[in-house]
Amino acid sequence: MNPKSKIVKTYVLWIVDMLCIIASYLIATQWRYAVARDYGNRTFHYLVMVVMLMVCTVVNFFQDWNSTILKRGYGRELVAILKFNLILVVSTLVIVFFAQWAYILSRIVIANFVWINVCMMYVAHLIVKKLLKRYLSDDKVTSKIVIVTRRDKQEETIAAFHKRSDEAYQVVGSITVDDLKTKDDFKNVIEKLVQVPFDEVFINTPGMAQQDLRPLIDGFLEMGVTTHYNIGLEEEGAVTRVETFAGDYTVITYSRFKASVKKLMVKRLFDIIGGIVGLILTGIITIFLAPAIKIDSPGPVFFSQTRVGKNGRRFKIYKFRSMYKDAEARLKDLESKNEVSGLMFKMDDDPRVTKVGKFIRKTSLDEFPQFLNVLKGDMSLVGTRPPTEKEFEQYNEHYRRRLSMTPGLTGMWQVSGRSDITDFDEVVKLDLSYIDHWSLSLDFKILLKTVAVVFRHKGAK
C-alpha cells in the first residue's frame, strides 16, 4: 500500500469512526432518557463512551481493520462493520464490568447504540470510500509506477499488480529486461525514462542474478526515483528497508530520500497555510501592481509558463509579468549572451525585462502569484527550482534527481546568492544537498533566510 494513502485512510477513518461512536451514543442516550433524565451517575454513563473511543483507537491502529476498505464491496463492508462493533461492545462491557461500572449501564442505550452505530458507520464508510477513491485518483496523489520484469512475466506481473494494489498506484509503463545485456543497453533505457513522469519502480525478475540489474537500479537511484525490488540486494548510498508493496509483495526498497510520510504531510499542511496567506497578500499587491504593469507595457498582468515538477509532472507556473510580450520569441537572439554555464539562461540587463519588471524582480514581488501553485500542490514553499520544458529535455539521470521532491517557491539556490552562481551544476549541487539533508527545520531556516534576502534585495536581478 502506498504509505501516503495508508496514513490518509488510517487517520480519516479513525476520525470518522470516533465521530460515529460519539453521535450514536448521544442519540441512544437521548432516546432512552428523553423524558426521564435519570442517568444514574452521569459521569460514569459518559465514561462508557470514552472507553468505546479508546477501544476504537486500539482496534484502528493495532488491528488496522480499515486497511482493506477500498477493496471491500457492500456486503463485505457490512460484515466488517458488524465484526468491529461486536469487538467494540464486548471489549467495552468487559472493561466496564471489571471497573465495576456495570450498575450504571442501560441495556436499552447499548442495544440502540449498536444498531444506530452500525447504520451510521456503514453510510459514513460508503461516503468516505467514494471520497477516498476520488482523492487517490488525483494525479498529484497517485504514485506512478514503472514495472521492470521478464518478458514471460510481464502480463502476469501487471495483472497481479492491478489486482493487489490500491487506487493510489497507477502503472504508467513496463520494461522487459531479457535483451538488456550491456551497460549501454541499461543506459539507453534510463535515458528514455528521464522524460517520463513516474515516481516509483517495481522490479519483479524472479530467477535473475541480483547483480545483473545493478546498472538499472543505479540509474533509478541517480534519478531520485524510489525503487522496490523483490530480491535482496545491497545498495550503497540508499535507504534500504523491507516492506510490503502493492498488496502482499515482500520487497526490499531502496531510496535516497529519507523523509517519513508523516513529516511530508506536515510540510504539505504548512504549504496550504502559507498558500492561503500568500494568496491574500497577492490579491493586495495586485491592486497596486496591475495598473503599473499595464501602463509600463501592453500585455497581461500575469505570466504563465509550463514547468516541470515532481518526477516529471508538467504544471503551469504563475508570475507577475516582468518582461515584454515577445520575450520568449527573442530568447534565441540572446542565448549567446547567457551568463550561466549549463542548461539555465540568465543575463544582466536583459533587454526583455520592462522597467516595472526590474523593480518587481529585484524585490521578488513577481514571485507572489506562485502561492497559487503552492496551494494547488504543484509547488511547495521550499523546494528545488522547477526547470522549463526546454531545460528538462536536456536532462540526464543525475539532473533528473532534482525533481524527486516538489519544486519550491524558494530553496537553497535562492538563499545562496543566486545572482552570483554562473554554473548550472552548482545549482544542481545545492538542490541535491537540500534533498539529501531535508528536514522541517531546514525548511524553516530557508524561509527565514529568504525573508532576509528579499528585504536586503540580495541575490535577485
Side-chain angles (χ1 to χ4, degrees):
M1 183 185 297
N2 185 315
K4 186 174 182 178
S5 71
K6 181 177 180 179
I7 287 179
V8 170
K9 282 192 285 187
T10 300
Y11 283 92
V12 168
L13 287 165
W14 169 60
I15 293 171
V16 168
D17 290 346
M18 298 276 275
L19 292 175
C20 286
I21 290 171
I22 293 171
S24 298
Y25 197 87
L26 293 178
I27 291 171
T29 298
Q30 179 64 23
W31 196 341
R32 169 66 178 83
Y33 299 107
V35 180
R37 297 188 174 276
D38 183 18
Y39 290 46
N41 189 316
R42 295 192 181 191
T43 301
F44 284 141
H45 179 79
Y46 286 111
L47 276 177
V48 174
M49 182 180 68
V50 174
V51 171
M52 289 182 175
L53 296 176
M54 292 170 59
V55 173
C56 173
T57 301
V58 171
V59 174
N60 266 280
F61 287 96
F62 289 92
Q63 188 180 356
D64 199 17
W65 78 286
N66 278 321
S67 61
T68 60
I69 185 171
L70 295 179
K71 297 180 181 179
R72 299 196 295 246
Y74 293 104
R76 287 181 61 195
E77 187 63 45
L78 180 58
V79 171
I81 288 174
L82 287 171
K83 287 182 179 178
F84 170 79
N85 276 272
L86 178 62
I87 295 171
L88 177 69
V89 173
V90 171
S91 300
T92 300
L93 291 177
V94 170
I95 294 172
V96 168
F97 174 79
F98 282 105
Q100 298 184 346
W101 300 344
Y103 69 92
I104 55 92
L105 277 179
S106 167
R107 286 173 293 180
I108 296 177
V109 170
I110 298 300
N112 284 332
F113 166 83
V114 172
W115 73 262
I116 292 172
N117 196 50
V118 168
C119 294
M120 192 173 291
M121 284 184 66
Y122 186 71
V123 173
H125 276 218
L126 293 182
I127 294 172
V128 170
K129 188 186 298 188
K130 189 173 183 178
L131 294 175
L132 278 174
K133 287 182 177 180
R134 186 180 301 175
Y135 168 75
L136 294 175
S137 65
D138 188 282
D139 187 66
K140 298 183 183 69
V141 177
T142 300
S143 190
K144 298 180 184 295
I145 302 291
V146 169
I147 289 178
V148 178
T149 186
R150 298 199 322 252
R151 189 175 290 114
D152 62 335
K153 287 282 186 180
Q154 188 174 26
E155 291 184 6
E156 176 188 333
T157 301
I158 294 174
F161 193 96
H162 283 303
K163 182 179 179 180
R164 297 174 180 178
S165 63
D166 58 31
E167 286 76 3
Y169 290 111
Q170 178 189 2
V171 178
V172 295
S174 64
I175 301 168
T176 56
V177 297
D178 304 69
D179 300 324
L180 302 180
K181 306 297 183 184
T182 67
K183 286 187 177 180
D184 286 338
D185 292 334
F186 287 108
K187 185 177 180 181
N188 289 336
V189 170
I190 294 297
E191 287 177 350
K192 289 178 182 178
L193 287 172
V194 165
Q195 300 298 318
V196 178
F198 69 106
D199 305 292
E200 301 178 61
V201 176
F202 173 51
I203 301 177
N204 183 34
T205 54
M208 291 191 67
Q210 298 175 13
Q211 294 296 328
D212 290 347
L213 293 177
R214 181 177 289 276
L216 201 60
I217 295 175
D218 287 343
F220 289 133
L221 289 176
E222 188 63 23
M223 282 195 283
V225 175
T226 297
T227 303
H228 306 277
Y229 193 67
N230 69 341
I231 301 173
L233 174 66
E234 292 297 324
E235 178 59 38
E236 294 183 5
V239 178
T240 305
R241 58 189 180 273
V242 178
E243 60 185 12
T244 300
F245 179 67
D248 55 4
Y249 284 111
T250 299
V251 298
I252 294 180
T253 297
Y254 307 93
S255 176
R256 288 185 181 272
F257 193 51
K258 303 176 178 65
S260 69
V261 176
K262 291 182 180 179
K263 288 182 179 179
L264 290 175
M265 291 181 74
V266 173
K267 178 179 173 71
R268 179 62 190 144
L269 177 62
F270 279 111
D271 285 343
I272 292 172
I273 296 171
I276 293 171
V277 173
L279 281 178
I280 294 172
L281 294 174
T282 302
I284 297 171
I285 293 170
T286 302
I287 296 173
F288 302 96
L289 276 188
I293 292 172
K294 282 283 189 182
I295 293 171
D296 187 32
S297 67
V301 172
F302 299 99
F303 168 77
S304 67
Q305 184 184 49
T306 300
R307 292 290 182 96
V308 182
K310 185 178 179 181
N311 289 326
R313 289 170 170 80
R314 270 67 172 178
F315 69 96
K316 288 283 187 181
I317 196 172
Y318 301 99
K319 293 186 177 186
F320 284 117
R321 183 171 61 86
S322 61
M323 291 185 173
Y324 293 103
K325 284 195 302 181
D326 60 348
E328 292 291 318
R330 294 166 62 185
L331 179 59
K332 281 189 176 182
D333 299 330
L334 298 171
E335 286 180 345
S336 61
K337 299 180 181 179
N338 187 8
E339 298 172 2
V340 176
S341 173
L343 304 184
M344 287 172 54
F345 177 85
K346 185 181 68 174
M347 66 175 291
D348 290 337
D349 300 321
D350 191 329
R352 301 173 301 159
V353 179
T354 64
K355 292 179 181 177
V356 171
K358 290 180 180 179
F359 169 74
I360 62 176
R361 282 186 164 207
K362 187 174 183 180
T363 55
S364 297
L365 291 174
D366 61 320
E367 311 281 354
F368 269 78
Q370 290 175 47
F371 280 110
L372 177 59
N373 293 117
V374 172
L375 189 60
K376 288 169 63 180
D378 297 322
M379 296 178 67
S380 178
L381 291 176
V382 183
T384 59
R385 174 188 170 274
T388 64
E389 286 189 298
K390 185 177 178 181
E391 291 175 21
F392 185 63
E393 288 170 1
Q394 304 173 67
Y395 270 24
N396 56 32
E397 57 268 28
H398 178 66
Y399 292 162
R400 156 84 190 232
R401 192 158 78 86
R402 299 179 59 242
L403 302 178
S404 59
M405 272 197 79
T406 303
L409 189 62
T410 185
M412 293 285 283
W413 176 60
Q414 285 86 340
V415 299
S416 301
R418 65 180 188 243
S419 292
D420 300 324
I421 298 175
T422 58
D423 190 340
F424 177 70
D425 284 338
E426 185 64 25
V427 175
V428 174
K429 183 179 178 181
L430 288 169
D431 283 342
L432 295 186
S433 175
Y434 168 76
I435 293 171
D436 291 339
H437 300 94
W438 180 81
S439 66
L440 292 170
S441 60
L442 178 59
D443 273 8
F444 184 68
K445 290 176 183 177
I446 291 175
L447 285 172
L448 289 180
K449 287 184 178 180
T450 301
V451 174
V453 166
V454 169
F455 275 103
R456 293 200 302 265
H457 306 314
K458 181 182 177 182
K461 290 185 181 179

